[in-house]
């Protein structure tokens, strides 16, 4: 059996699939960096160093257009904060064994909207660049 020749469209599709892998890697770097800034007084420094090392490797090896995944990844900590404040705004009490505990929570909507905007912006801009095929490789 001879080797199968790839058409130009098959090669482009394979390149796009690989582009999504790089995008997801940058997504993880963005989430790690945002979590590092959020937890700066505890484990944040470790997360920021990890994100910086990973970003350096991705910049060295990966396509430049995939860096938009980092923008989308910044949304994950915002979604987490929105989830943690889902009962807010105000003083929220919950039953626990032996009584109840009360905490003051923020309004979750600003965090949810901010996260949705970052996630959508990263994905949409990346899709536009991928579809046009004019981004740096």
């Amino acid at each position: 059996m001879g080797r199968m020749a790839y058409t130009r469209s098959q090669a482009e599709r394979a390149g796009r699939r690989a582009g999504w892998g790089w995008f997801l890697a940058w997504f993880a770097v963005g989430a790690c960096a945002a979590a590092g800034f959020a937890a700066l007084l505890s484990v944040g420094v470790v997360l920021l160093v990890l994100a910086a090392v990973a970003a350096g490797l991705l910049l060295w090896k990966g396509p430049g257009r995939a860096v938009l995944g980092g923008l989308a990844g910044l949304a994950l900590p915002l979604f987490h904060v929105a989830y943690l404040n889902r009962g807010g705004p105000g003083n929220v009490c919950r039953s626990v064994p032996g009584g109840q505990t009360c905490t003051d929570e923020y309004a979750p909507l600003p965090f949810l909207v901010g996260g949705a905007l970052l996630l959508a912006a990263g994905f949409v801009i990346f899709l536009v660049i991928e579809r046009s095929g004019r981004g740096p490789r």
Side-chain angles (χ1 to χ4, degrees):
M1 292 183 102
R3 283 206 293 181
M4 185 180 216
Y6 287 104
T7 65
R8 184 178 176 101
S9 64
Q10 288 172 326
E12 287 175 3
R13 280 195 302 268
R16 286 186 184 143
R17 283 193 301 270
W20 280 105
W22 290 108
F23 179 86
L24 291 175
W26 273 106
F27 185 86
V29 168
C32 185
F37 280 118
L40 195 56
L41 297 178
S42 60
V43 298
V45 174
V46 174
L47 291 174
L48 287 173
V49 168
L50 180 65
V53 169
L57 288 172
L58 289 173
L59 284 172
W60 180 48
K61 286 288 189 179
R65 67 183 177 272
V67 76
L68 291 164
L71 177 67
L74 295 174
L76 285 185
L78 291 175
F79 288 144
H80 181 68
V81 171
Y83 176 76
L84 291 177
N85 291 287
R86 65 191 176 276
N91 198 16
V92 178
C93 296
R94 293 184 175 84
S95 296
V96 295
Q100 85 180 161
T101 182
C102 298
T103 58
D104 197 25
E105 294 185 2
Y106 297 109
L109 193 59
F111 298 104
L112 186 63
V113 169
L117 288 174
L118 284 172
L119 186 68
F123 273 106
V124 168
I125 295 169
F126 182 74
L127 278 174
V128 167
I129 291 173
E130 276 290 297
R131 297 272 185 237
S132 70
R134 288 182 276 164
R137 301 260 176 215

